[in-house]
Amino acid sequence: MSATATTPEAAAQLLFQPNVQYNNARLYTVKFLSSCFSGAVAGVLGLENTLGFALFVFSTLLTSSCLYVKCKGKPAKFVPGGWWELVNPGQENMFSFVLVWTLFYGTHAPPTLFSSG
Amino acid sequence: MSSSTVSLYLDPQIRDWVLFPITVVMILVGILRHYVVLLLQSQPKKIPRHAIREQRALIRSQILRATSANSPLPPTYYKVISQHLSQAFADGTYLKDGPPKGDASSSTPPNPLTDPAAMDGMMAGMKTQMVMMVPQMVIMGWINFFFQGFVLIKLPFPLTLGFKSMLQRGVETPDMDVRWVSSLSWYFLNFFGLNGLYRLILGGENSADSSRDMATPFAAAAAATPGQAQDYNKLFKAERDNLEFSEGLHEWIANDVDTRILKKYGRLPAEAK
């Protein structure tokens, strides 16, 4: 009964639309929360520049590998677009990461030197 | 020239009284915006049954055509539905005002600017745009008035000197690192970064999302006039042609399922006819 999906339209036809929407909403939530938490971690650790962005990339990869395991290795069955949909953190989450990172970086105050000039 | 290793020590009261309040205010204003837009939306007009039937007939044939290449319907069922729809479109039985009289070809679609129903749609779109923009202006003015003249926070990443004039507005130090920014830039950071939070709290279709403001303002207005300006007779004729085309394309996915199953379970030699 399982017809092999040879074309993208045929693959999309095999997905049940309300389920796809639910999956997308959950996926978005997971990605947003992971970017917030990684921003907090980056801020608290006092990471700067490239180290901070490297943490963001690392957390994205970690999240997507967890999602991949949750999909039992077949992301095409759950979201249209395959594995790139899982990995892609989304443009908004990038900004959220920077926001939370700046917030925690500023409030945790790296070792201060009293400057007189 | 100050070295970049010397860092400023900021009063923690700045953090308490500026950083958190700006964020909290932006979150609350976003939620407020969402509910205001919800309240401002007028009830969609009720359309009479014949008009709905006309729209739905078109949608029905589009749904039928969408899966014709991999269709779950056996050929007989598909052809019956397809031909019934085709005949109905030709006769105009689904048209709002009944089958066309002799001078149907001279009917013109209603002009969107003078049609009152379409005007409502456009006004609704423009109202939401105004509601989106006004709070942003107000908050920017509030921040510029109260929170000006000091640096607020240090960015964890470097930026080029070109950003200095934008991010350090009001603080006249030519040598200070661009990483120290004023409150207005904190506002911008919040503006972009809170969208995800809104989506979490208010659900997917919230109106507090600032990424929607970037879309062309009239795209929403155009989308809100759903085919009242269209001549359904012509649409039906075009749809007839599409139906015929799809009928030729129709392929039942269970076409040779018996052979496939036998092959899968090895009862039939793989190279059989």
Side-chain angles (χ1 to χ4, degrees):
Chain A
M1 214 228 348
S2 61
T4 50
T6 46
T7 60
E9 297 91 25
Q13 189 190 328
L14 287 175
L15 296 171
F16 184 52
Q17 195 56 24
N19 280 353
V20 167
Q21 282 173 345
Y22 178 77
N23 283 347
N24 279 340
R26 291 286 285 246
L27 207 63
Y28 188 85
T29 310
V30 165
K31 285 183 191 159
F32 174 71
L33 288 176
S34 85
S35 63
C36 279
F37 280 119
S38 61
V41 166
V44 166
L45 288 179
L47 298 178
E48 311 231 328
N49 308 345
T50 36
L51 273 181
F53 288 114
L55 182 71
F56 179 60
V57 171
F58 172 69
S59 78
T60 309
L61 289 175
L62 184 65
T63 313
S64 53
S65 60
C66 291
L67 286 171
Y68 194 76
V69 169
K70 187 78 179 153
C71 282
K72 300 188 182 63
K74 288 204 182 62
K77 277 173 75 169
F78 294 90
V79 284
W83 64 273
W84 178 243
E85 277 294 314
L86 287 186
V87 172
N88 182 21
Q91 173 198 348
E92 293 181 345
N93 294 331
M94 180 71 172
F95 283 118
S96 304
F97 170 77
V98 170
L99 174 70
V100 181
W101 183 19
T102 310
L103 182 69
F104 278 88
Y105 185 82
T107 54
H108 119 277
T112 57
L113 299 167
F114 200 83
S115 91
S116 55
Chain B
M1 187 127 63
S2 63
S3 73
S4 55
T5 55
V6 172
S7 68
L8 298 176
Y9 184 60
L10 287 178
D11 193 348
Q13 289 198 338
I14 292 186
R15 185 190 67 214
D16 295 339
W17 290 99
V18 182
L19 206 64
F20 293 135
I22 292 185
T23 307
V24 167
V25 163
M26 286 188 73
I27 294 180
L28 291 177
V29 165
I31 298 181
L32 182 71
R33 241 192 337 178
H34 169 70
Y35 285 115
V36 164
V37 167
L38 221 55
L39 287 173
L40 275 183
Q41 270 171 2
S42 49
Q43 189 76 286
K45 246 178 38 139
K46 288 179 91 87
I47 341 182
R49 186 169 156 271
H50 293 294
I52 293 187
R53 190 176 69 161
E54 164 179 85
Q55 289 171 4
R56 295 282 167 88
L58 201 64
I59 293 176
R60 206 172 141 204
S61 100
Q62 279 169 355
I63 292 177
L64 187 69
R65 282 190 303 115
T67 59
S68 81
N70 266 318
S71 179
L73 298 174
T76 39
Y77 285 83
Y78 184 88
K79 285 196 169 44
V80 161
I81 301 181
S82 170
Q83 279 164 8
H84 165 74
L85 280 175
S86 195
Q87 188 63 32
F89 288 161
D91 292 339
T93 41
Y94 285 135
L95 281 178
K96 183 162 55 174
D97 304 319
K101 335 279 191 292
D103 57 351
S105 55
S106 64
S107 67
T108 52
N111 195 341
L113 288 179
T114 55
D115 189 15
M119 280 302 282
D120 283 344
M122 282 208 263
M123 284 307 295
M126 302 220 290
K127 269 193 283 192
T128 38
Q129 285 301 316
M130 288 307 298
V131 170
M132 304 283 221
M133 281 191 323
V134 163
Q136 304 299 338
M137 302 289 128
V138 167
I139 294 185
M140 283 223 287
W142 172 66
I143 290 184
N144 266 331
F145 182 69
F146 282 109
F147 301 122
Q148 201 178 30
F150 56 90
V151 287
L152 182 62
I153 200 168
K154 184 177 178 197
L155 291 180
F157 51 91
L159 287 171
T160 60
L161 281 178
F163 284 98
K164 204 182 187 358
S165 60
M166 185 171 83
L167 298 178
Q168 281 179 1
R169 193 165 294 273
V171 184
E172 313 295 340
T173 56
D175 282 340
M176 190 162 60
D177 214 342
V178 189
R179 295 166 65 161
W180 293 99
V181 291
S182 67
S183 19
L184 197 62
S185 60
W186 178 242
Y187 164 75
F188 280 118
L189 264 180
N190 269 306
F191 184 69
F192 289 116
L194 284 176
N195 291 334
L197 188 67
Y198 291 144
R199 211 157 144 171
L200 204 63
I201 307 181
L202 298 172
E205 283 293 317
N206 72 84
S207 320
D209 211 342
S210 70
S211 61
R212 310 268 170 123
D213 295 352
M214 308 301 181
T216 43
F218 290 102
T225 55
Q228 280 140 347
Q230 289 166 354
D231 189 5
Y232 271 92
N233 210 6
K234 292 202 186 72
L235 284 176
F236 282 168
K237 297 286 187 289
E239 196 62 28
R240 269 197 85 202
D241 294 333
N242 289 338
L243 271 176
E244 274 197 39
F245 181 67
S246 296
E247 204 174 320
L249 216 54
H250 175 253
E251 186 70 43
W252 189 28
I253 49 176
N255 212 358
D256 45 359
V257 65
D258 43 357
T259 328
R260 274 194 266 145
I261 289 190
L262 288 176
K263 277 200 195 130
K264 181 175 172 190
Y265 287 107
R267 302 284 185 215
L268 208 60
E271 69 278 359
K273 62 288 180 225

